[in-house]
Amino acid sequence: MTIEQAEIEATRVLDILLGWLVSPQFYAQIGAVILAVAVAHFANRQIKAKTPYFRSPPEQEPLLKARRWLYSCRDLLFPILCVLMLAIAVQVAEGSVGSSWLVRFAQSIAVIAVLYAAIKRFVRHPLINAAARWIGIPIATLQVFGVLDNVSLYLDSVSLEAGNIRLSLYTLVKAAVFGGVLFWLGRLSNDAGQKAIRKQEALDIPTRELLAKIFQTGLFVLLFILLLQVLGLDLTALTVFGGALGVGLGFGLQQIASNFISGMILLFERSMKVGDYVEVGGGMAGTLHEINMRSSTLHTGDGKEITVPNEKFITSAFVNWTKSDPLQRFEVAFSVPYDADIHRIPDLIQIAAAKHPHILARPSGPACEIKLFGDKGIQFSLTYWVAGTNGYGSDVHFLVWDTLKEAGIALAPLK
């Protein structure tokens, strides 16, 4: 556009603006908009004041959830009334002055206000709320003002082509929007599906975990295919990148692929399951909380979470303390002087230990026997069985101390 053409265009726009400012129809439409908003404001106040559903939040009434939802809609009342009053104003302006473009413009803004109020009131998730405000509202605004198709055509014209594949800016925007929506829905579906699978008590825990991971993998593969279909990409055209993708998986993603396959092997092999107490090399030990696609999580007794790559359970040795039997055998050693009456000690300790609420009578009750004759005393060993990995060592040491003290028998150093 040349300078002369720009000046002509600017003069034309200025003439249109001046024409509006001196036009009676323009001021009539401004009056219609003001009157419609004023009537909507008055009606909003009257409805909220005189309708019990909007006057105060319900506490204990019939249909409490429905009434609370209706009360939460009170923020939408004013923008909805504005849309309705402006719709009436459009008809009045058309019949009286033969023009209503300004009133229609105000009505479009009111529609956007309704959408914004609905998002603010009902969309609680911070990420989804932000996406709806910064992506959904601009798209809705373009649609309401009738320019969405023009903007889409312009974005589609900015493209990059490689063989049979055409990638435009419009495609990238669609990928961002629909990809976010699809994978958000996929995450919700995945959580709901895995909860439903894990509630099936008829299946054992490893089977449930295996089905849950198969469901998760299949769901996200399906979402990826749906995203490609929504974007209108030809799946056969993607075979061009098959070789490069294979090389990338072979080198860059080798560890990820290895961990994923290792996780599936663990689920199929059932060498460990959720709830087992597992000890891995490097001092890592804890209760297995979950087996993910890439790694597994161990919960330690002090509240920490240890993330262990699945491959480590395949390529190195680990100890599963509770794989087939949750019962564990523990031992507590103590020593008494040589002048003590050692014949009384086994019965005293065994009877006292049997009274502990967590020490089991099966597969065998607590047993106390001489372990060795040391330099400073005679060392005894108390062995007992408990369910789980908590040996209650402190409780048992206190038990030994109290029992021997009550019997008048002193303790000697172990070494």
Side-chain angles (χ1 to χ4, degrees):
M1 180 182 294
T2 62
I3 298 177
E4 292 79 5
Q5 290 174 334
E7 291 177 352
I8 294 172
E9 184 66 22
T11 303
R12 188 180 68 83
V13 173
L14 183 60
D15 291 339
I16 293 174
L17 292 175
L18 292 176
W20 289 348
L21 294 176
V22 298
S23 171
Q25 291 88 349
F26 178 74
Y27 292 102
Q29 292 183 69
I30 290 179
V33 171
I34 294 174
L35 180 62
V37 174
V39 171
H41 178 69
F42 176 77
N44 176 55
R45 294 187 60 181
Q46 292 299 313
I47 292 174
K48 288 182 178 178
K50 297 182 178 181
T51 304
Y53 298 112
F54 298 116
R55 187 184 303 128
S56 59
E59 296 180 355
Q60 293 182 354
E61 299 178 7
L63 302 175
L64 182 61
K65 290 185 177 180
R67 288 175 175 267
R68 283 180 175 175
W69 180 85
L70 190 60
Y71 179 79
S72 66
C73 295
R74 68 198 307 267
D75 294 341
L76 278 69
L77 188 59
F78 176 65
I80 290 175
L81 289 172
C82 284
V83 174
L84 296 176
M85 294 300 107
L86 288 169
I88 297 174
V90 168
Q91 302 300 321
V92 173
E94 285 286 350
S96 59
V97 298
S99 178
S100 62
W101 64 268
L102 184 59
V103 184
R104 292 181 185 275
F105 183 83
Q107 187 184 24
S108 300
I109 295 177
V111 171
I112 301 302
V114 172
L115 179 61
Y116 179 80
I119 292 172
K120 185 178 179 181
R121 168 58 61 181
F122 297 111
V123 181
R124 299 296 185 183
H125 194 282
L127 181 61
I128 303 172
N129 185 283
R133 286 188 291 109
W134 294 104
I135 299 176
I137 288 183
I139 293 175
T141 303
L142 296 175
Q143 177 65 32
V144 167
F145 289 106
V147 296
L148 181 60
D149 291 339
N150 294 332
V151 174
S152 300
L153 290 174
Y154 173 75
L155 293 176
D156 191 57
S157 65
V158 182
S159 62
L160 176 66
E161 297 185 7
N164 295 329
I165 298 178
R166 181 178 181 273
L167 190 64
S168 65
L169 188 58
Y170 178 66
T171 302
L172 296 178
V173 173
K174 282 176 63 178
V177 175
F178 288 102
V181 173
L182 281 175
F183 281 95
W184 171 69
L185 292 175
R187 188 181 65 177
L188 294 180
S189 302
N190 177 57
D191 293 340
Q194 293 205 25
K195 286 181 181 178
I197 293 173
R198 291 189 173 107
K199 287 181 179 178
Q200 303 303 313
E201 299 295 339
L203 303 174
D204 58 5
I205 294 178
T207 303
R208 277 180 271 168
E209 289 299 317
L210 177 60
L211 292 177
K213 296 311 170 187
I214 292 176
F215 172 78
Q216 182 182 30
T217 305
L219 177 64
F220 281 98
V221 170
L222 176 63
L223 289 175
F224 180 72
I225 295 174
L226 287 176
L227 179 59
L228 294 180
Q229 294 294 330
V230 169
L231 298 179
L233 295 178
D234 186 5
L235 297 181
T236 59
L238 297 178
T239 56
V240 177
F241 299 101
L245 182 61
V247 174
L249 287 174
F251 290 96
L253 303 180
Q254 183 177 8
Q255 284 300 116
I256 296 177
S258 176
N259 284 314
F260 173 76
I261 296 173
S262 298
M264 300 303 293
I265 292 175
L266 289 174
L267 292 172
F268 277 109
E269 192 179 49
R270 301 188 178 188
S271 56
M272 63 180 186
K273 62 182 182 296
V274 173
D276 286 348
Y277 189 84
V278 180
E279 182 178 352
V280 196
M284 297 182 293
T287 302
L288 183 63
H289 179 65
E290 57 184 354
I291 302 176
N292 295 314
M293 289 185 178
R294 188 192 63 84
S295 61
S296 298
T297 304
L298 302 179
H299 280 194
T300 64
D302 53 359
K304 297 184 177 64
E305 289 188 356
I306 303 176
T307 301
V308 183
N310 290 329
E311 185 184 17
K312 192 172 183 65
F313 294 105
I314 300 296
T315 59
S316 60
F318 67 94
V319 179
N320 189 343
W321 289 88
T322 57
K323 180 179 185 297
S324 57
D325 189 356
L327 302 184
Q328 300 293 319
R329 183 173 178 269
F330 289 90
E331 179 181 358
V332 168
F334 62 93
S335 182
V336 297
Y338 276 98
D339 58 355
D341 186 359
I342 61 174
H343 295 283
R344 300 172 53 201
I345 292 176
D347 291 337
L348 288 172
I349 297 299
Q350 288 172 183
I351 293 173
K355 297 178 181 179
H356 191 280
H358 297 288
I359 293 180
L360 305 176
R362 295 183 179 181
S364 62
C368 182
E369 56 187 17
I370 293 178
K371 190 173 183 180
L372 57 87
F373 294 97
D375 296 334
K376 298 181 180 180
I378 303 173
Q379 185 173 330
F380 282 81
S381 171
L382 170 63
T383 58
Y384 57 93
W385 290 84
V386 296
T389 56
N390 187 352
Y392 303 97
S394 178
D395 291 353
V396 176
H397 279 91
F398 271 113
L399 182 148
V400 171
W401 169 270
D402 294 337
T403 302
L404 294 180
K405 185 177 181 181
E406 185 177 351
I409 300 174
L411 287 172
L414 285 175
K415 294 182 179 180

